[in-house]
C-alpha cells in the first residue's frame, strides 16, 4: 500500500509541475523511483531536454583538441612529471595559425591541454614552478593559454581548457591539500582568460611523485566552474557531457542523449543522485537509454556523448607520424559516425615542436572540409511537394533546427510523403529532431516509389540532434519517411537528401 501511494504522490507532483509551469520543456534532470512503469518512464524521458549550454555545445558539431606541452618536446604520450621546463621552447608558436586552420575546416570550438598528467602548465601558474614561466620560451614571459584564448576571440571560436586531475609532478598529489591546489589552478584558468566554453576532465588517476593516488573532489570542482563560468559545459568526467566510450571517432548507431544515471535501488545513505554529481557506473555500453533501460538508475538525465579521436595515431605530435595523418575520406567517415550519430566530434590536432599545426594535418583538414561541403552544398529535397495528408511541413527543409513538424505515432499519420522537383541521384540521408522539445524517435524508415511499389532505402533507430546515413545510390523522385516507433509525438526538424559522388 505504501509503495503504491509513494508512486502516486511522486507522479502527481511531477505532472503537476509539467502542466502548471512548463518545466518539462526546460528540465534536463528528473529523479525517478523503482515503482514507475516503463510507459511512465518513457513519458518523463521524452520531456527531458538539454540545458542552454548543452544545446549550444551540441550545435557546434565539431570541436578541436590541442594536445601540446612538454610531451611535444620529449616525444612522449605521457610524461613522468620530472621533465626539465627548459625543454619547452617552440621556435615559431602561432596560436592564430592553429585557430585559423580550425575555423577554415568548419571547427567551431577548441580545447587546449592547459596541464596534462605530467603537471607542466602552459600558463604561468602562481602555484607551481613546473610551467612555462621557467622555460626559455619568450624568456619565461609566455602564456600559451592566453595566446590561444585571444586567437579564439579574434576568429570567433569557442574556447575550452583541459586540466588533468592526475599530476605526476606535484608533491601534494595523494593528499587532501591537492584538491585545494587543483581549485587554485582551476580558478586561475577560469578568471584570467575571459569566457570559457568547455572544461574537460578525464578520469586518469595514477600515482603521484610520492607513490600515492588522489581522491578527486569532482563535485567541489564543478561548483567552482558553475560559479565562475556558468555557461561552460563540463565534459567527460563531468555532469554535462559524457565520453562516448572509445577513441575511434565512431559513436553508437543507437545513441540516446537521455540516459539513466545513479545507482538503482541503492540502500546507501544520501544515495539520491544529484544533477552535478560525478559520473557513476559504466557509460560505455553498446546502447544507453533504450526504453527497457530507463529504470536502471535513480534519475534520468540529458547527458549527450562527445566522440573523441586524434587526427594522428597519437595525441601529442610525433614527427614519425607525419605520414600517418588520417585521410580526408576517413575523416568524412568519422564525421558521419560521430556528428551523424547524435554526437559532437572532438578532433585532436596536435601542434608540432615549432608550435605550428603541421602541413600534413592542415592539408587533410582542408580536403576534408571540401569533401563535406561538396556533399552538403545542396539539399535535393529543398523544393519538395508534400502529399495531401501533410500540411505546414515546409520547415522540414528550411535549414533551421528550431522549427519542426510534429509526427503523430498512430499508424496512418506516422509518415511524411513528398515528391522532389524531378528524379535525383541520392545516397545520403540527413535527419534532425528539435532537441529543445526532446529526443523521441526510436525507429525510422526511408522508402522510395519504384515500379508501382514502395521500396526500403535505409532504416535506423535514433535521430537526436543529427543523423546521417549513407546507402547504395538510388534514383528517385517520390519518397516517404516513416517514423515507425517513437516517444510521444516526435518533433522532426529537418530532412535532407544528398548525393555524395565519391560514395558508391
Amino acid at each position: 500500500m505504501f509503495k503504491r501511494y509513494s508512486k502516486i504522490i511522486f507522479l502527481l507532483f511531477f505532472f503537476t509541475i509539467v502542466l502548471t509551469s512548463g518545466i518539462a520543456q526546460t528540465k534536463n534532470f528528473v529523479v525517478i523511483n523503482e515503482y514507475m512503469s516503463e510507459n511512465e518512464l518513457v513519458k518523463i524521458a521524452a520531456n527531458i531536454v538539454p540545458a542552454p549550454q548543452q544545446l549550444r555545445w551540441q550545435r557546434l558539431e565539431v570541436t578541436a583538441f590541442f594536445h601540446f606541452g612538454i610531451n611535444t618536446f620529449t616525444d612522449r604520450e605521457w610524461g613522468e612529471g620530472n621533465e626539465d621546463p627548459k625543454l619547452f621552447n617552440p621556435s615559431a608558436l602561432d596560436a592564430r595559425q592553429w585557430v585559423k586552420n580550425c575555423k577554415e575546416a568548419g571547427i567551431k570550438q577548441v580545447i587546449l591541454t592547459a596541464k596534462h598528467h605530467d603537471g607542466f602548465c602552459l600558463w604561468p601558474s602562481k602555484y607551481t614552478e613546473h610551467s612555462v614561466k621557467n622555460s626559455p620560451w619568450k624568456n619565461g614571459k609566455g602564456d600559451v593559454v592566453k595566446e590561444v584564448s585571444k586567437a579564439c576571440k579574434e576568429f570567433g571560436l569557442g574556447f575550452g581548457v583541459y586540466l588533468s586531475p592526475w599530476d605526476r609532478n606535484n608533491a601534494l598529489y595523494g593528499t587532501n591539500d591537492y584538491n585545494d591546489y587543483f581549485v587554485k589552478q582551476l580558478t586561475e584558468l577560469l578568471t584570467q582568460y575571459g569566457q570559457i566554453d568547455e572544461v574537460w576532465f578525464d578520469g586518469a588517476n595514477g600515482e603521484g611523485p610520492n607513490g600515492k593516488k588522489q581522491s578527486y573532489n569532482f563535485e567541489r570542482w564543478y561548483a567552482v566552474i558553475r560559479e565562475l563560468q556558468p555557461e561552460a559545459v563540463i565534459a567527460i568526467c563531468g555532469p554535462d557531457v559524457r565520453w562516448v566510450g572509445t577513441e575511434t571517432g565512431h559513436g553508437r548507431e543507437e545513441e540516446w542523449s537521455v540516459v539513466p544515471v545513479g545507482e538503482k535501488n541503492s540502500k546507501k545513505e544520501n544515495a539520491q543522485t544529484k544533477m552535478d554529481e560525478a559520473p557513476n557506473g559504466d557509460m560505455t555500453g553498446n546502447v544507453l537509454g533504450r526504453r527497457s533501460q530507463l529504470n536502471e538508475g535513480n534519475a534520468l538525465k540529458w547527458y549527450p556523448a562527445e566522440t573523441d579521436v586524434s587526427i594522428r595515431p597519437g595525441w601529442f605530435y610525433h614527427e614519425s607520424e607525419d605520414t600517418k595523418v588520417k585521410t580526408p575520406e576517413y575523416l568524412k567517415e568519422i564525421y558521419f559516425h560521430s556528428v551523424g550519430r547524435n554526437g559532437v566530434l572532438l578532433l585532436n590536432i596536435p601542434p608540432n615542436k615549432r608550435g605550428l599545426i603541421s602541413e600534413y594535418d592542415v592539408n587533410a583538414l582542408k580536403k576534408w572540409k571540401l569533401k563535406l561541403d561538396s556533399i552538403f552544398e545542396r539539399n535535393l529535397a529543398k523544393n519538395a511537394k508534400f502529399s495531401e495528408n501533410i500540411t505546414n511541413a515546409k520547415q522540414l527543409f528550411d535549414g533551421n533546427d528550431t522549427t519542426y513538424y510534429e509526427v503523430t505515432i498512430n499508424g496512418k499519420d506516422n509518415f511524411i510523403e513528398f515528391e522532389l522537383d524531378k528524379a535525383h541521384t541520392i545516397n545520403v540521408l540527413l535527419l534532425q529532431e528539435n532537441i529543445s522539445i526532446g529526443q523521441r524517435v526510436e525507429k525510422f524508415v526511408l522508402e522510395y516509389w519504384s515500379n508501382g511499389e514502395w521500396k526500403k532505402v535505409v532504416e535506423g533507430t535514433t535521430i537526436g540532434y543529427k543523423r546521417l546515413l549513407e546507402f547504395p545510390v538510388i534514383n528517385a523522385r517520390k519518397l516517404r519517411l516513416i517514423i515507425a516507433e517513437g516517444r510521444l509525438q516526435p518533433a522532426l526538424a529537418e530532412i535532407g537528401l544528398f548525393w555524395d559522388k565519391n560514395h558508391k
Side-chain angles (χ1 to χ4, degrees):
M1 182 70 72
F2 175 76
K3 288 184 177 180
R4 186 175 68 182
Y5 285 142
S6 297
K7 175 179 174 182
I8 292 171
I9 290 169
F10 181 90
L11 289 173
L12 285 173
F13 172 75
F14 175 77
F15 289 113
T16 298
I17 289 175
V18 171
L19 293 171
T20 60
S21 66
I23 286 179
Q25 296 304 312
T26 58
K27 198 168 187 66
N28 71 338
F29 176 87
V30 175
V31 175
I32 60 175
N33 67 46
E34 61 187 294
Y35 312 121
M36 291 180 174
S37 69
E38 182 179 286
N39 286 340
E40 290 162 344
L41 291 171
V42 166
K43 288 178 182 178
I44 293 172
N47 281 301
I48 292 177
V49 297
Q53 66 266 35
Q54 291 175 311
L55 182 58
R56 174 200 168 272
W57 171 87
Q58 189 83 54
R59 286 172 171 159
L60 295 171
E61 295 197 358
V62 184
T63 59
F65 226 152
F66 294 144
H67 272 68
F68 185 65
I70 201 75
N71 294 347
T72 309
F73 299 87
T74 60
D75 205 24
R76 298 282 298 275
E77 281 290 295
W78 283 13
E80 299 289 340
N82 57 4
E83 296 83 4
D84 187 341
K86 292 184 175 58
L87 293 172
F88 185 87
N89 193 20
S91 59
L93 191 147
D94 184 358
R96 293 184 74 260
Q97 186 252 6
W98 306 0
V99 176
K100 181 174 183 288
N101 278 291
C102 284
K103 182 169 185 176
E104 290 174 351
I107 294 167
K108 297 176 182 173
Q109 182 167 294
V110 306
I111 301 171
L112 175 67
T113 55
K115 183 187 80 167
H116 205 254
H117 308 327
D118 48 74
F120 184 81
C121 298
L122 293 182
W123 80 101
S125 175
K126 293 190 296 185
Y127 304 104
T128 182
E129 296 303 307
H130 200 50
S131 83
V132 290
K133 67 184 179 185
N134 288 315
S135 76
W137 178 61
K138 293 194 171 183
N139 297 315
K141 304 298 182 183
D143 186 337
V144 182
V145 179
K146 182 178 181 179
E147 295 199 17
V148 177
S149 65
K150 184 179 177 182
C152 286
K153 291 180 180 67
E154 178 183 348
F155 289 101
L157 270 67
F159 175 61
V161 291
Y162 163 98
L163 188 65
S164 171
W166 186 18
D167 193 317
R168 305 183 76 179
N169 172 267
N170 195 277
L172 296 175
Y173 189 84
T175 71
N176 289 333
D177 291 338
Y178 177 77
N179 283 314
D180 295 331
Y181 168 78
F182 194 88
V183 165
K184 290 175 183 177
Q185 289 203 318
L186 186 60
T187 300
E188 286 183 317
L189 292 173
L190 300 181
T191 58
Q192 297 179 5
Y193 302 99
Q195 181 170 321
I196 304 296
D197 297 294
E198 185 166 347
V199 180
W200 208 95
F201 298 130
D202 61 23
N205 188 345
E207 295 180 352
N210 54 14
K212 297 180 181 179
K213 290 188 177 183
Q214 181 69 35
S215 177
Y216 298 148
N217 194 344
F218 278 115
E219 291 182 47
R220 179 184 174 192
W221 304 346
Y222 301 160
V224 171
I225 298 166
R226 296 296 192 216
E227 178 185 356
L228 299 178
Q229 293 286 347
E231 295 182 15
V233 294
I234 310 172
I236 307 306
C237 275
D240 298 328
V241 174
R242 61 184 161 84
W243 181 43
V244 76
T246 73
E247 294 182 344
T248 64
H250 293 71
R252 299 173 184 82
E253 290 196 32
E254 183 175 347
E255 183 64 71
W256 287 101
S257 294
V258 177
V259 297
V261 294
E263 195 172 340
K264 181 181 178 181
N265 302 336
S266 176
K267 303 303 181 184
K268 297 177 183 177
E269 188 177 354
N270 299 321
Q272 180 172 299
T273 301
K274 295 175 287 186
M275 185 166 63
D276 275 2
E277 193 169 66
N280 182 17
D282 182 14
M283 302 294 288
T284 62
N286 290 333
V287 181
L288 306 173
R290 188 177 284 170
R291 62 171 57 204
S292 61
Q293 299 172 309
L294 294 176
N295 67 348
E296 293 180 357
N298 58 34
L300 294 176
K301 181 176 185 176
W302 189 275
Y303 202 18
E306 187 170 67
T307 310
D308 59 332
V309 67
S310 183
I311 199 169
R312 292 161 168 262
W315 289 84
F316 284 89
Y317 175 83
H318 308 287
E319 186 176 359
S320 62
E321 295 179 353
D322 279 348
T323 58
K324 299 177 182 178
V325 173
K326 289 178 173 57
T327 65
E329 181 60 32
Y330 191 56
L331 288 173
K332 186 216 81 170
E333 179 182 309
I334 284 173
Y335 178 85
F336 271 66
H337 291 178
S338 55
V339 177
R341 290 181 176 174
N342 190 35
V344 168
L345 172 60
L346 176 58
L347 179 65
N348 180 59
I349 310 163
N352 61 24
K353 290 183 179 181
R354 296 182 63 210
L356 300 171
I357 302 296
S358 161
E359 62 180 299
Y360 297 94
D361 305 63
V362 170
N363 288 337
L365 291 172
K366 286 181 177 179
K367 291 177 182 177
W368 174 48
K369 180 62 162 57
L370 288 172
K371 186 174 287 289
L372 292 180
D373 286 348
S374 69
I375 296 170
F376 297 111
E377 64 183 349
R378 183 188 174 202
N379 184 356
L380 301 174
K382 188 172 181 61
N383 297 314
K385 294 181 179 180
F386 297 94
S387 59
E388 293 180 359
N389 70 313
I390 303 296
T391 58
N392 301 321
K394 290 184 178 180
Q395 55 265 45
L396 290 172
F397 308 130
D398 64 3
N400 184 348
D401 67 6
T402 65
T403 60
Y404 63 96
Y405 177 80
E406 201 166 67
V407 182
T408 302
I409 307 292
N410 66 3
K412 289 187 177 180
D413 297 328
N414 66 336
F415 66 91
I416 301 165
E417 186 179 318
F418 53 95
E419 190 170 310
L420 309 182
D421 56 350
K422 63 178 183 179
H424 285 282
T425 302
I426 304 163
N427 60 3
V428 173
L429 170 67
L430 176 151
L431 297 172
Q432 289 189 265
E433 288 181 78
N434 182 341
I435 59 172
S436 63
I437 303 296
Q439 185 186 0
R440 300 179 176 181
V441 175
E442 295 176 300
K443 183 179 179 180
F444 63 88
V445 182
L446 180 69
E447 298 180 335
Y448 76 113
W449 186 257
S450 176
N451 296 323
E453 63 178 337
W454 288 106
K455 295 182 179 180
K456 183 171 73 173
V457 180
V458 69
E459 65 182 350
T461 52
T462 48
I463 296 175
Y465 174 73
K466 182 171 284 187
R467 188 67 192 267
L468 293 169
L469 287 170
E470 297 173 292
F471 47 85
V473 167
I474 62 168
N475 189 265
R477 182 172 186 180
K478 187 177 178 181
L479 302 101
R480 68 179 181 183
L481 178 71
I482 303 169
I483 306 301
E485 297 175 20
R487 302 173 179 180
L488 304 185
Q489 291 181 292
L492 195 63
E494 287 293 307
I495 298 176
L497 296 172
F498 305 92
W499 179 31
D500 178 1
K501 300 177 181 65
N502 297 309
H503 181 75
K504 306 302 181 185

